[in-house]
Amino acid sequence: MSDNDKPLLIKRYASRRLYNTETSDYVTLEDIAGFIRAGREVKIVDLKSGDDLTRQYLLQIIAEHESKGESVLPLAVLNDLVRSYTTQATSVVPQFLAMSFEMLQDGQSKMVENMSAMNPMAKMPGFEAMQAQQQAFLKAMTGGLAGNWGPSSPSPENGEEEGLDDIKKQLAELQAKLSKMSK
């Protein structure tokens, strides 16, 4: 298992300072958010008790971003989350959220993959750099939710194939419009 496959261990001292065990230095919440945006898993533990504090700190990072006006979660979703803590539906909500984010990531992966496969410019020099910029743009637009850019499922099912044809048609129309604009 490589270093990037296992979670980055962050220890919280009694002074509430956070210590990166890999680089042997202190880190901030923003540093931790940066590790996560870069695709790294983190695990935050209390040095004295050994308690896992990861969830608490991740929620704190989200709360800070939301309070700065970087709203990702609509108010209705936040209200529903609060309600879910007081109802019997608490076991369903985490599974639903996990599946929703997974579907979003898969959809983004397929979109990037399809754009690459259909693009006649793919053989041009410098295309890979442009593709990397597209991926970074999509990741930025989704707030870093797109963690997996590789190919997903090997073959689409019948319903997905029709949707894929629609996407290809729309992409071809957009490419035609772009080529007209650049002339």
Side-chain angles (χ1 to χ4, degrees):
M1 182 180 261
S2 73
D3 282 347
N4 286 340
D5 291 342
K6 61 182 176 182
L8 170 61
L9 181 61
I10 306 289
K11 293 183 179 180
R12 184 185 77 173
Y13 285 93
S15 64
R16 298 200 178 276
R17 291 192 71 183
L18 301 169
Y19 184 77
N20 182 339
T21 60
E22 284 185 5
T23 59
S24 300
D25 61 349
Y26 292 102
V27 292
T28 64
L29 284 179
E30 193 55 42
D31 294 330
I32 293 170
F35 299 142
I36 294 168
R37 282 188 209 102
R40 189 74 192 269
E41 296 291 324
V42 298
K43 182 174 183 178
I44 305 168
V45 296
D46 184 84
L47 180 67
K48 189 174 183 180
S49 68
D51 292 343
D52 188 345
L53 305 172
T54 308
R55 180 180 309 273
Q56 170 187 336
Y57 277 93
L58 294 180
L59 287 169
Q60 188 175 346
I61 290 168
I62 291 168
E64 284 187 13
H65 283 278
E66 288 286 324
S67 70
K68 291 178 186 174
E70 301 172 28
S71 299
V72 172
L73 299 169
L75 194 55
V77 171
L78 293 172
N79 282 321
D80 288 342
L81 281 171
V82 170
R83 281 186 201 101
S84 73
Y85 280 97
T86 59
T87 67
Q88 296 298 332
T90 55
S91 62
V92 176
V93 172
Q95 292 172 336
F96 172 75
L97 289 173
M99 287 175 39
S100 297
F101 278 107
E102 188 176 316
M103 286 173 44
L104 176 65
Q105 288 175 339
D106 287 347
Q108 289 171 336
S109 297
K110 287 178 184 177
M111 183 178 78
V112 169
E113 186 179 315
N114 291 335
M115 288 172 64
S116 299
M118 292 178 35
N119 195 340
M121 298 185 335
K123 295 180 180 144
M124 290 177 49
F127 176 74
E128 289 156 358
M130 185 175 70
Q131 187 178 27
Q133 287 177 336
Q134 285 177 336
Q135 291 173 354
F137 174 76
L138 285 171
K139 192 170 187 176
M141 292 303 290
T142 59
L145 296 176
N148 180 11
W149 289 100
S152 52
S153 62
S155 62
E157 295 179 15
N158 290 344
E160 293 177 20
E161 202 167 303
E162 290 176 10
L164 184 59
D165 290 340
D166 290 340
I167 292 171
K168 287 179 182 179
K169 181 181 174 186
Q170 290 173 357
L171 184 57
E173 291 171 359
L174 286 171
Q175 286 177 333
K177 288 179 183 178
L178 281 173
S179 64
K180 286 179 185 177
M181 290 173 55
S182 63
K183 290 182 182 179

